[in-house]
Amino acid sequence: SNALTTAGAKTCGVGVVLVLHPPSGCFSVKRTIADGPAHRAGLLQGDILTRIGAQPLTNFPKERLPSLLLGPEGSSVRIAYLRDGQSYPAEVDVVRSVDAAKAQVSIRPARVVLHLSEAAVRRAALTPAQLASSLRAEAVDALATRPRRIRVAHVRPDCLRAEVHILPDFDSIDPRPVTALAAQLIAQARDPHSALRA
C-alpha cells in the first residue's frame, strides 16, 4: 500500500518544480504552478529550498523529493527557503492541494512527430533551421496558441520528419492542456485542407 495516501485521500503536491542548486547542494524553484499552493504561499522562481518538513535538503537525493512534497490532500508541509542571498531561511506552510497525477501530466511537454510532404519540402528548398522556423509558425497559427508553447526539434528533411514539442503554459494565458493541443495538431496534420499540409 502507498504510505502517502490515507483512508482514500487523494495524493496531492504543492505545485512546484525544483532543480538542483549546485552551489548550496539544495534545490531551487524552477517554477510554480500558477495559483497553486506554492505560488499562493509566496514561493518564487529562484528561491533556494533548504528544508522540507524536518528534512534538510543539502545533498538530498532528487528522486526522493516526492516523498517529502506529496501527501494527503489538505495536509500541509513546512518549507524553509532562502531568497536573494538571505543568511537565514524564511519558512512557509504550504497546503497540499494539487492532484499529483494531474500535475505530472500538466507539466510535461507533449511530443508529436510530423511526417512531411516530400513535394512541399522540395518546393520550399529550406535549410533544416528555416524549415523548423516555418513549421513552428504554422503550428502556432493552426493551434491558435502562444509561440512559446511550441518548439520544433529534430527536423529531418532527408527523412521527411519533424518533431514538435508542445509545452505547458505556466502563466495560464492558454489553459489548454498539452494533450489537447497535441490531439489538435495531429488532427490538423491529417486534414488535407489544413495549412500544415500545404
Side-chain angles (χ1 to χ4, degrees):
S1 76
N2 188 340
L4 297 175
T5 58
T6 58
K10 192 165 38 174
T11 298
C12 288
V14 299
V16 67
V17 177
L18 302 176
V19 293
L20 185 62
H21 182 257
S24 67
C26 294
F27 296 90
S28 64
V29 175
K30 182 175 182 181
R31 60 181 165 255
T32 59
I33 293 175
D35 204 35
H39 182 254
R40 289 193 304 269
L43 288 176
L44 300 175
Q45 182 178 7
D47 286 348
I48 301 167
L49 276 55
T50 59
R51 195 178 73 251
I52 298 175
Q55 177 63 57
L57 295 181
T58 305
N59 301 319
F60 188 78
K62 184 175 182 179
E63 63 273 9
R64 290 183 49 210
L65 282 173
S67 69
L68 303 176
L69 293 169
L70 299 177
E73 183 175 26
S75 64
S76 66
V77 61
R78 180 162 286 193
I79 297 176
Y81 64 94
L82 296 170
R83 180 177 294 159
D84 297 328
Q86 288 173 288
S87 301
Y88 297 99
E91 293 187 352
V92 65
D93 289 317
V94 184
V95 177
R96 296 174 175 111
S97 64
V98 175
D99 183 317
K102 288 182 182 172
Q104 286 301 314
V105 169
S106 69
I107 63 173
R108 289 189 180 140
R111 181 177 70 94
V112 175
V113 175
L114 295 178
H115 297 277
L116 309 173
S117 155
E118 185 175 359
V121 169
R122 269 201 220 131
R123 191 170 54 245
L126 301 174
T127 67
Q130 292 168 327
L131 185 56
S133 179
S134 175
L135 281 172
R136 180 174 182 245
E138 290 172 12
V140 167
D141 287 344
L143 299 175
T145 192
R146 304 172 70 197
R148 67 188 294 177
R149 294 199 69 182
I150 305 297
R151 297 286 180 269
V152 177
H154 309 296
V155 176
R156 299 285 307 275
D158 55 327
C159 297
L160 300 176
R161 291 171 47 118
E163 199 171 284
V164 178
H165 295 211
I166 301 170
L167 308 176
D169 185 356
F170 292 104
D171 301 326
S172 297
I173 292 171
D174 179 357
R176 293 174 294 171
V178 294
T179 51
L181 288 178
Q184 186 179 342
L185 184 62
I186 290 166
Q188 291 265 352
R190 289 180 177 157
D191 179 356
H193 304 293
S194 167
L196 288 173
R197 296 293 296 272

